Amino acid sequence: MRRHDCCDTQDVIPEESSMEFGLVGLGRMGGNMARRLARKGMRIALHNRSHEVSAAIAAETGHLACASLADLVAALQAPRIVWLMLPAGEATEQALQALAPLLGAGDLVVDGANAYYKDDQRHAAMMAAHGIDYADAGVSGGVWGLENGYCIMFGGSEAAAARLQPYMEALAPTPTEGWLHTGPVGSGHFVKMVHNGIEYGMMQALAEGFALMKNKPGFDLDVGAIAELWRHGSVVRSWLLDLSADFLAQDPALETIQPFVADSGEGRWTALEAIEQGIPAPVMSLALMMRFASQGKGDYAAKMLAKMRQGFGGHAIKGTEK
């Protein structure tokens, strides 16, 4: 037996570790994935930028907390699987660059965050130069994934799919439902990108419909009761409607909420893909534009409109209070 450098003082692991799976990035999604794997009887190695987070989750789950990527790789038995749950962009790029010289031929890296599928194709080529396999996994489920399981769509080789299957079965709602090997590298994040574009459109439609009902004079509609009604037998019933019914029952006016909606890269990439393919996708694209508008990015254009209307028609404009 030996005490590994990456371990907390209570963690002692065999000279030849039986762990093959490491998870890097323990935010809301990554942390709960680690917890779900523990509930399924799997023991894995963990690494997070803040080691305190790794140590806390390790103490909770029985997983192994590692202070660095090098420690995590050393703690795993080859051939290894290292699953990244990091923000797309620079954080993922840095992790892949750091992992390439640490891993060996036959190891597998999985990018499980919301990455752009074209980046996956580039990353796969980069890792292949080191003999390292690569897979991309789009993960849906949010904060509810711990209890309900995650919907996972992943791309990669058949060999990578076979190695990942036990983990997919553990993370998904059931061993046979909620996960799919979608095809070659990049296909998982491509499918997840389209999934999120659809999500934008569904959310926008629900928001617009409830706004029409909330603001209808003379009817005094109970939007919380209507949301609950639609959950039962209606063709628009959905998990998004379930969530809406829950919060509208508590606060139908939403007066304490700022009308600001952030957007992720997924919505933008979906709109760009529609342009590249020449496929009309107006609902998803307009839903993205509405998010931009909520962020104040349409304010200058609105001011321009107000001034033009004043210019040709003499219409009044609203000034700002200084």
Side-chain angles (χ1 to χ4, degrees):
M1 302 285 285
R2 64 183 173 85
R3 190 176 305 280
H4 197 271
D5 291 341
C6 74
C7 306
D8 292 329
T9 54
Q10 73 272 23
D11 289 320
V12 178
I13 62 177
E15 191 67 36
E16 292 297 330
S17 172
S18 60
M19 288 186 300
E20 65 165 3
F21 189 100
L23 183 61
V24 179
L26 302 172
R28 284 175 297 181
M29 186 83 84
N32 277 347
M33 288 171 65
R35 294 180 177 96
R36 186 166 177 87
L37 290 174
R39 291 183 181 184
K40 299 296 182 176
M42 295 180 170
R43 187 167 186 254
I44 65 173
L46 306 174
H47 172 65
N48 193 67
R49 180 175 61 178
S50 170
H51 185 60
E52 290 76 14
V53 173
S54 303
I57 294 178
E60 174 188 345
T61 60
H63 294 323
L64 183 68
C66 298
S68 68
L69 287 176
D71 288 340
L72 180 136
V73 170
L76 299 177
Q77 181 182 41
R80 311 167 185 87
I81 301 172
V82 178
W83 186 304
L84 305 181
M85 289 300 293
L86 299 170
E90 189 60 28
T92 296
E93 293 284 350
Q94 290 181 359
L96 290 172
Q97 292 287 347
L99 282 169
L102 295 173
L103 296 173
D107 289 341
L108 170 62
V109 173
V110 183
D111 185 356
N114 282 337
Y116 190 30
Y117 77 95
K118 293 184 178 180
D119 288 337
D120 289 316
Q121 294 167 336
R122 176 171 54 83
H123 293 155
M126 179 184 78
M127 302 309 282
H130 297 269
I132 302 167
D133 203 358
Y134 181 94
D136 60 292
V139 184
S140 182
V143 296
W144 299 89
L146 174 59
E147 298 298 332
N148 299 336
Y150 298 91
C151 177
I152 308 176
M153 48 225 89
F154 68 101
S157 66
E158 292 292 339
R163 293 185 63 192
L164 289 171
Q165 182 169 340
Y167 301 97
M168 297 300 178
E169 292 176 349
L171 290 168
T174 76
T176 58
E177 298 172 316
W179 65 272
L180 180 68
H181 179 209
T182 52
V185 166
S187 64
H189 279 147
F190 181 84
V191 173
K192 179 58 161 56
M193 177 189 77
V194 176
H195 165 284
N196 280 29
I198 294 170
E199 178 185 293
Y200 274 43
M202 293 172 65
M203 292 173 67
Q204 186 67 32
L206 284 170
E208 291 175 8
F210 278 91
L212 285 171
M213 292 187 289
K214 182 70 176 68
N215 289 283
K216 177 61 177 175
F219 285 175
D220 192 25
L221 296 172
D222 184 340
V223 291
I226 293 167
E228 180 61 31
L229 168 71
W230 287 356
R231 292 180 64 198
H232 308 281
S234 166
V235 296
V236 299
R237 62 188 184 272
S238 65
W239 186 37
L240 290 172
L241 182 62
D242 293 342
L243 296 172
S244 299
D246 289 342
F247 65 71
L248 287 174
Q250 301 297 320
D251 181 18
L254 304 181
E255 292 178 346
T256 62
I257 307 299
Q258 292 189 18
F260 181 98
V261 187
D263 69 284
S264 68
E266 302 275 1
R268 301 186 186 207
W269 297 331
T270 306
L272 289 172
E273 186 68 27
I275 293 170
E276 286 189 8
Q277 291 194 32
I279 299 294
V283 172
M284 293 187 287
S285 299
L286 284 174
L288 173 65
M289 298 302 124
M290 289 303 296
R291 294 200 180 192
F292 293 160
S294 80
Q295 299 164 19
K297 294 175 182 176
D299 289 357
Y300 186 81
K303 292 176 182 180
M304 286 283 296
L305 289 169
K307 289 297 291 182
M308 284 188 279
R309 190 167 178 268
Q310 181 191 45
F312 68 70
H315 302 289
I317 60 174
K318 289 186 177 182
T320 59
E321 294 183 5
K322 297 290 186 182

